[in-house]
Amino acid sequence: KFIQQYITMKFALLSTLFAAASAFTAAPVARQSTQLAAGKADLKAIATAANPVVNFYDPLSLADAEFWGDSNEATIGFLRHAEIKHGRVAMFAFVGYCVQSNVHWPWPMTTAGDSFPSTDLSPEAQWDAIPEAAKWQILVVISFLELWGEQSGDENAHYMRGGQPGKFPSFDLFRKTVHPVPFNLYDPFGLSKGMSAEKKEKRLVMELNNGRLAQIGIMGFLAADKVPGSVPALNGLAQPYDGDVMAPFTAHYHLFN
């Protein structure tokens, strides 16, 4: 039942993303908590800072919900974290799509000496062409990062329990107990330590806008490749793809067959 509710929530959240896109710059932000968290009033302030034209837009009233019988504050924390995380993944995906479409890495992809797929293939077809073991390696790393991001402690409250949405824990505990890691995932060179609160707030809103636009961008690429003519602006750039973008192992087998 929990999984079914979680999946239902994911689809509801996705339906709100397309109304949220803005430019790559943010409007000035009034001084507020850099956590960009907490109640509905804070969400409205963030919405105004992120896009003063659209302002607060919540057609499904998700900001009033109480997922899984938890509090409204916990639900808002969950939604805020989910949007930030999906935006970051989409930014990686958008840049990755552009790189894969134009750059062929010259070194071997596997220990057997196999080369990376050709840029003559679409990025989706390139994914289908890589070995199954490589796909599992990528998914295992992603799963680890997902699980590590859910940890909480005295110095790192969970985003549904008053913690900062979008904050990824450091690897200090992993370094001490498992294996050395040279950098943290967030701010690996510590560039934000001397940054003012106002600058952090502005950059957080910029990240939010960039993530929203990237989600629309990567979905636009996928739609244009899968359904010719579905995105007129990409008609000259789309690379037709006849596979299934929602079945990552379809070239080898399907998880449900």
Side-chain angles (χ1 to χ4, degrees):
K1 183 178 179 182
F2 175 84
I3 294 176
Q4 184 178 13
Q5 289 177 322
Y6 183 79
I7 294 174
T8 301
M9 179 282 307
K10 284 280 189 178
F11 279 107
L13 178 62
L14 181 62
S15 68
T16 66
L17 295 178
F18 293 95
S22 183
F24 277 90
T25 57
V29 187
R31 184 174 180 83
Q32 59 193 39
S33 170
T34 57
Q35 293 184 10
L36 294 185
K40 187 173 181 179
D42 288 335
L43 289 181
K44 292 182 177 180
I46 295 165
T48 300
N51 191 327
V53 176
V54 176
N55 283 313
F56 184 68
Y57 185 76
D58 183 23
L60 299 180
S61 298
L62 296 179
D64 298 315
E66 296 181 350
F67 291 163
W68 309 298
D70 214 322
S71 67
N72 177 251
E73 289 76 14
T75 299
I76 290 176
F78 175 86
L79 293 172
R80 291 285 301 113
H81 185 81
E83 181 181 26
I84 294 170
K85 180 167 64 175
H86 283 79
R88 290 170 178 169
V89 172
M91 286 188 276
F92 273 112
F94 185 88
V95 173
Y97 185 101
C98 295
V99 172
Q100 280 183 257
S101 297
N102 297 281
V103 178
H104 182 266
W105 306 118
W107 52 82
M109 177 180 62
T110 68
T111 55
D114 299 321
S115 64
F116 284 87
S118 170
T119 53
D120 292 335
L121 300 174
S122 68
E124 301 94 333
Q126 290 182 46
W127 169 265
D128 290 342
I130 68 174
E132 180 183 347
K135 296 178 180 179
W136 279 113
Q137 289 173 8
I138 294 170
L139 293 177
V140 166
V141 171
I142 293 173
S143 298
F144 164 75
L145 294 175
E146 180 77 11
L147 292 172
W148 191 261
E150 289 295 316
Q151 68 159 310
S152 59
D154 295 336
E155 298 181 359
N156 184 46
H158 193 269
Y159 52 84
M160 292 182 69
R161 295 295 179 264
Q164 179 179 345
K167 182 178 180 180
F168 195 87
S170 73
F171 290 130
D172 291 344
L173 179 61
F174 191 87
R175 291 187 186 96
K176 295 176 182 177
T177 60
V178 182
H179 192 276
V181 179
F183 302 109
N184 289 320
L185 187 63
Y186 172 74
D187 194 18
F189 303 109
L191 300 178
S192 65
K193 289 183 178 179
M195 193 179 297
S196 67
E198 291 80 3
K199 191 171 184 179
K200 286 183 179 180
E201 290 161 1
K202 183 177 180 179
R203 290 198 171 192
L204 283 169
V205 176
M206 289 173 64
E207 181 188 31
L208 187 62
N209 278 337
N210 292 345
R212 290 169 174 175
L213 190 57
Q215 289 174 81
I216 294 178
I218 188 60
M219 291 304 295
F221 277 140
L222 295 177
D225 290 347
K226 182 64 178 176
V227 184
S230 60
V231 186
L234 298 177
N235 283 345
L237 299 174
Q239 304 177 66
Y241 174 66
D242 59 1
D244 188 348
V245 296
M246 302 305 291
F249 291 92
T250 190
H252 302 285
Y253 61 87
H254 200 286
L255 291 176
F256 301 104
N257 288 338

